[in-house]
């Protein structure tokens, strides 16, 4: 879809071009800010041993890396689209593999983090056994295998439908390049929605179980359970934003036939709210709300010089519940 040719033929095309430029600059600023924050948190994660031997922090690091890869690669596609840069289809496949896999890694990892909170609060005696470092590594492999399913489905239908000459053609890179038939779009939507349905069920189940424990608990256990509830609720909100993202292409396709200016504004809003926003919530949930990680972050930035206090928090945080 040649967006630039279309907008040049519309009334007010020059003002629209200026608006598009402003929006592109805004997106670049947001992406740079998010990438810098993620890099800072990844460095903080690597500074303390208790972080890369504790399941929830390992999974947190996975979301940071996943979101960073996705922000970087999706931003490249945004720039390509804006400047109407076409690339050969085989190169687009390589870029799209990263985008398709990592767009799903974060929500699947959030679901795994929710299950970890469920085990920590509802099955505390088995938490150490089930959430060992070895099991966490296996969990990360499973996360990436599950996240690869939509990519495999989309590209498999493309490989059986495309001719060999098509791979050498120059196209604007997007997932739509691989969609020749309407049934491919329906199949993609069905796979994604089935995955997210399963993840929603897991999050609702975990929230219900943790709420039950929170009502029965007292004192420090009650406080930990309530914090676990808030964490699971935030995971659910992130997942909701990711689900809405699946519907965006259908809305945008309908608006493109009606009004280009409205289409571009809606697509820009969708990218910010449902693509960038869910990726900046992970640092908030586990980077700033978590007392242990936030203390280590302040220590790394030189705001907090009491290293002994940081170590004691690290030890205490490794056995605490609901954080």
């Amino acid at each position: 879809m040649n967006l630039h040719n279309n907008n040049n033929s519309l009334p007010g095309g020059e003002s629209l071009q200026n608006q598009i430029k402003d929006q592109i600059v805004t997106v670049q600023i947001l992406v740079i800010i998010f990438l810098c924050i993620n890099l800072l948190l990844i460095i903080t994660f690597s500074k303390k041993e208790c972080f890369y031997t504790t399941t929830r922090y390992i999974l947190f690091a996975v979301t940071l890396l996943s979101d960073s890869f996705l922000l970087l690669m999706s931003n490249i596609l945004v720039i390509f689209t804006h400047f109407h840069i076409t690339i050969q289809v085989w190169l687009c496949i390589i870029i799209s593999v990263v985008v398709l896999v990592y767009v799903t890694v974060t929500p699947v990892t959030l679901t795994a983090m929710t299950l970890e909170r469920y085990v920590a609060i509802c099955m505390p005696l088995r938490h150490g056994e089930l959430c060992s470092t070895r099991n966490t590594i296996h969990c990360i492999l499973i996360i990436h295998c599950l996240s690869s399913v939509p990519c495999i489905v989309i590209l498999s239908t493309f490989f059986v439908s495309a001719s060999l000459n098509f791979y050498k053609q120059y196209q604007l890179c997007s997932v739509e390049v691989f969609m020749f038939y309407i049934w491919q779009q329906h199949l993609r939507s069905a796979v994604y929605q089935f995955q997210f349905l399963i993840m929603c069920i897991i999050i609702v189940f975990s929230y219900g179980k943790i709420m039950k424990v929170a009502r029965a608990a007292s004192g420090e256990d009650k406080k930990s359970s309530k914090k676990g509830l808030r964490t699971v609720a935030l995971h659910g909100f992130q997942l909701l934003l990711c689900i809405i993202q699946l519907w965006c292409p259908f809305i945008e396709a309908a608006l493109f036939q009606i009004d280009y200016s409205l289409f571009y504004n809606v697509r820009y809003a969708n990218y910010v709210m449902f693509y960038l926003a869910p990726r900046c919530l992970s640092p908030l949930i586990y980077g700033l709300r978590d007392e242990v990680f936030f203390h280590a972050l302040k220590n790394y930035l030189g705001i907090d010089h009491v290293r002994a206090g940081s170590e004691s928090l690290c030890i205490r945080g490794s056995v605490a519940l609901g954080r």
Side-chain angles (χ1 to χ4, degrees):
M1 168 166 73
N2 190 331
L3 303 183
H4 286 256
N5 290 342
N6 286 337
N7 68 38
N8 287 336
S9 62
L10 293 173
E14 185 177 349
S15 62
L16 180 60
Q17 284 284 1
N18 292 333
Q19 179 185 353
I20 290 173
K21 290 177 182 177
D22 292 340
Q23 291 176 346
I24 286 294
V25 170
T26 303
V27 167
Q28 300 312 303
I29 293 172
L30 290 174
V31 169
I32 291 172
I33 291 173
F34 294 155
L35 286 176
C36 288
I37 292 174
N38 284 358
L39 178 61
L40 178 61
L41 295 178
I42 290 170
I43 293 173
T44 303
F45 166 82
S46 66
K47 292 294 181 180
K48 290 194 176 296
E49 183 180 354
C50 73
F51 290 151
Y52 46 85
T53 56
T54 305
T55 298
R56 67 178 179 276
Y57 294 123
I58 296 174
L59 294 178
F60 171 51
V62 170
T63 64
L64 291 176
L65 290 170
S66 168
D67 292 345
S68 298
F69 283 136
L70 184 61
L71 286 174
L72 186 61
M73 300 306 292
S74 65
N75 189 52
I76 291 173
L77 295 182
V78 168
I79 294 173
F80 281 3
T81 300
H82 174 67
F83 292 104
H84 201 246
I85 299 173
T86 58
I87 59 176
Q88 287 188 312
V89 172
W90 67 266
L91 181 57
C92 180
I93 292 174
I94 297 173
I95 296 175
S96 297
V97 165
V98 178
V99 173
L100 288 171
V101 170
Y102 283 98
V103 78
T104 312
V105 164
T106 291
V108 176
T109 306
L110 290 175
T111 306
M113 294 169 82
T114 298
L115 287 174
E116 188 274 334
R117 289 297 83 203
Y118 162 73
V119 173
I121 294 171
C122 301
M123 307 167 61
L125 298 180
R126 299 198 62 193
H127 182 260
E129 173 193 349
L130 295 176
C131 299
S132 64
T133 304
R134 182 177 180 180
N135 287 343
T136 303
I137 300 302
H138 293 161
C139 179
I140 293 172
L141 293 176
I142 293 172
I143 287 171
H144 282 78
C145 288
L146 293 175
S147 301
S148 300
V149 171
C151 178
I152 293 171
V153 171
I154 292 170
L155 292 182
S156 295
T157 59
F158 167 73
F159 291 147
V160 299
S161 304
S163 64
L164 291 178
N165 291 333
F166 187 74
Y167 294 94
K168 296 180 181 179
Q169 293 182 15
Y170 285 83
Q171 300 277 346
L172 277 175
C173 188
S174 69
V175 179
E176 282 66 31
V177 170
F178 310 126
M179 304 289 172
F180 295 118
Y181 307 104
I182 191 68
W183 64 265
Q184 291 175 299
Q185 298 179 19
H186 292 328
L187 180 61
R188 176 186 65 168
S189 178
V191 171
Y192 276 124
Q193 293 194 39
F194 177 74
Q195 274 194 334
F196 281 104
L197 175 63
I198 299 300
M199 288 186 276
C200 287
I201 291 173
I202 291 173
I203 287 180
V204 170
F205 168 80
S206 301
Y207 188 88
K209 290 294 185 179
I210 294 174
M211 181 180 290
K212 186 176 180 180
V213 171
R215 288 177 177 174
S218 61
E220 193 66 29
D221 289 340
K222 192 176 187 68
K223 182 180 177 181
S224 296
S225 298
K226 285 185 175 179
K227 192 166 185 178
L229 277 175
R230 290 194 294 270
T231 300
V232 173
L234 286 169
H235 288 338
F237 179 66
Q238 280 184 281
L239 195 59
L240 175 63
L241 293 178
C242 293
I243 293 173
I244 295 175
Q245 178 190 325
L246 296 178
W247 302 331
C248 292
F250 302 102
I251 299 172
E252 293 166 8
L255 291 176
F256 183 76
Q257 304 299 326
I258 301 172
D259 183 83
Y260 179 81
S261 179
L262 178 61
F263 155 78
Y264 194 90
N265 288 329
V266 169
R267 189 171 73 161
Y268 171 75
N270 287 342
Y271 183 75
V272 173
M273 289 190 297
F274 306 124
Y275 218 89
L276 297 183
R279 270 76 201 177
C280 73
L281 284 178
S282 291
L284 173 64
I285 295 174
Y286 271 84
L288 301 181
R289 287 182 67 251
D290 187 273
E291 181 184 0
V292 180
F293 200 93
F294 186 58
H295 193 90
L297 178 61
K298 290 195 298 181
N299 191 15
Y300 175 71
L301 293 175
I303 300 174
D304 189 350
H305 299 286
V306 185
R307 198 167 285 274
S310 176
E311 294 300 330
S312 64
L313 271 175
C314 201
I315 296 171
R316 180 156 53 91
S318 66
V319 296
L321 300 180
R323 293 186 178 172

